Amino acid sequence: MRDLAHWKGCPAPEPVRMEGRYVLLEPYDRAGHLSALWNDAFGGMAINPLLKYFSQDDFSGIEDFDTWLSTVQRKSGWVTEVFRDKATGKVVGMANYMRADAANGVVEVGGVAHGSAMARSPLSTEVHYLMAKHVFEDLGYRRYEWKCHSENQASRTTAARLGFTFEGIFRQHMVSKGGNRDTAWFSIIDREWPLIRSAFERWLSPENFDHGGATKASARRDSRGACAGGAKVSPREKERSPAVAAAIILLVVGIGFFALPSIMVRLGDISPWLAAGVGALFVISFFLIFWLRARYQRRKGL
């Protein structure tokens, strides 16, 4: 952790232009971006299922979308960045810096909306690499947050893929579209950023893509084994995993029900039934520990 003895806070995020290898991020301009977002990026009324987990009511047309976006920018201080695909020149999505706590160096990325043109491409990965890099390296923030509806599994998966750490569920956090919203919280903190940045840069390297634009391999994000670009498991690894699990199960059962009781009977004055009971307890304990570990990992989003 950095020395905070002389901490003076951070500048508030402002509209900024950022450029990567595949995408441009442009400060939102109503005249230049409103129609392009509505029609090109989000497909007009197809925006409502796309933004199913956003808290605002469904839009009845571009006017509602315009009013909503203008309101959150004006009243809530959202700083909207628009994504433009450099290859096609088309607007493909948006995200916002929001809920900035400049005094404590905390800011959230939210209102994230990826159009269909961003799917199965490096655009979304590079977009969030650039936004995080700006927060940590240009503005000096300590914490970068990602929050979403707890039922929005796609957003939760994306957050984990991009290097955010799952922190838990805020129960009954909001009323959203006439129903309850529990909110899943994720974050990246400043000391984690150098490792995550390196993984982003490896994954986004031209050497990681073939001539058709598909990824050749997934760069490792960090020591937990997640990937900045999404994990890709080889067919051999997929075939090997069940075999390894089966071998471990057979080994544990063999030790618990055969080897351990036999050794106990030979080395000590103990009945075969008691030895068998100890062996069974060993097997049950192993599988209980395995189950608890798996449950913990699911809860932590690992």
Side-chain angles (χ1 to χ4, degrees), residues 20-43:
R21 184 173 289 111
Y22 310 103
V23 68
L24 286 171
L25 279 72
E26 303 170 347
Y28 176 76
D29 172 69
R30 183 177 181 276
H33 291 137
L34 176 61
S35 179
L37 282 171
W38 179 262
N39 293 305
D40 299 338
F42 304 140

Side-chain angles (χ1 to χ4, degrees), residues 111-176:
V112 177
H114 296 171
S116 59
M118 296 181 71
R120 294 176 296 280
S121 80
L123 299 179
S124 62
T125 301
E126 187 171 60
V127 156
H128 292 288
Y129 161 69
L130 292 171
M131 292 189 73
K133 183 180 180 183
H134 178 62
V135 163
F136 287 115
E137 299 183 17
D138 299 332
L139 302 181
Y141 275 68
R142 304 173 60 235
R143 174 180 168 89
Y144 189 45
E145 298 178 335
W146 178 295
K147 302 170 190 169
C148 62
H149 197 301
S150 64
E151 297 176 4
N152 189 350
Q153 192 58 53
S155 181
R156 294 177 66 167
T157 299
T158 298
R161 180 178 71 83
L162 294 172
F164 288 82
T165 295
F166 176 64
E167 296 182 322
I169 302 293
F170 272 42
R171 300 176 299 164
Q172 296 188 188
H173 179 222
M174 299 172 62
V175 175
S176 176

Side-chain angles (χ1 to χ4, degrees), residues 50-64:
L50 178 67
L51 306 189
K52 172 184 176 180
Y53 292 106
F54 279 34
S55 59
Q56 85 293 327
D57 293 332
D58 284 350
F59 302 117
S60 61
I62 190 173
E63 295 81 9
D64 281 354

Side-chain angles (χ1 to χ4, degrees), residues 42-253:
F42 304 140
M45 294 302 294
I47 193 173
N48 288 322
L50 178 67
L51 306 189
K52 172 184 176 180
Y53 292 106
F54 279 34
S55 59
Q56 85 293 327
D57 293 332
D58 284 350
F59 302 117
S60 61
I62 190 173
E63 295 81 9
D64 281 354
F65 176 65
D66 179 26
T67 299
W68 167 75
L69 191 54
S70 298
T71 299
V72 294
Q73 290 167 344
R74 184 178 66 257
K75 293 187 176 181
S76 302
W78 289 23
V79 178
T80 306
E81 296 289 329
V82 176
F83 314 149
R84 188 180 298 276
D85 185 343
K86 290 178 68 173
T88 65
K90 290 185 175 295
V91 168
V92 293
M94 69 174 190
N96 301 265
Y97 292 125
M98 56 192 288
R99 297 192 180 93
D101 179 358
N104 291 297
V106 180
V107 68
E108 177 182 346
V109 57
V112 177
H114 296 171
S116 59
M118 296 181 71
R120 294 176 296 280
S121 80
L123 299 179
S124 62
T125 301
E126 187 171 60
V127 156
H128 292 288
Y129 161 69
L130 292 171
M131 292 189 73
K133 183 180 180 183
H134 178 62
V135 163
F136 287 115
E137 299 183 17
D138 299 332
L139 302 181
Y141 275 68
R142 304 173 60 235
R143 174 180 168 89
Y144 189 45
E145 298 178 335
W146 178 295
K147 302 170 190 169
C148 62
H149 197 301
S150 64
E151 297 176 4
N152 189 350
Q153 192 58 53
S155 181
R156 294 177 66 167
T157 299
T158 298
R161 180 178 71 83
L162 294 172
F164 288 82
T165 295
F166 176 64
E167 296 182 322
I169 302 293
F170 272 42
R171 300 176 299 164
Q172 296 188 188
H173 179 222
M174 299 172 62
V175 175
S176 176
K177 293 180 176 173
N180 175 63
R181 166 173 156 164
D182 297 336
T183 298
W185 285 49
F186 298 80
S187 73
I188 299 172
I189 57 177
D190 52 359
R191 68 170 179 263
E192 298 168 340
W193 172 243
L195 192 62
I196 295 172
R197 178 191 61 205
S198 296
F200 270 123
E201 291 171 353
R202 287 196 302 273
W203 193 87
L204 290 166
S205 169
E207 290 76 20
N208 194 36
F209 297 88
D210 61 25
H211 294 298
T215 55
K216 296 178 182 177
S218 291
R220 289 293 169 188
R221 188 196 78 195
D222 61 12
S223 60
R224 293 189 298 272
C227 298
K232 297 181 78 174
V233 181
S234 70
R236 181 175 297 177
E237 288 173 319
K238 289 180 180 178
E239 293 171 1
R240 186 187 304 141
S241 296
V244 171
I248 292 173
I249 291 171
L250 288 174
L251 178 63
V252 170
V253 170

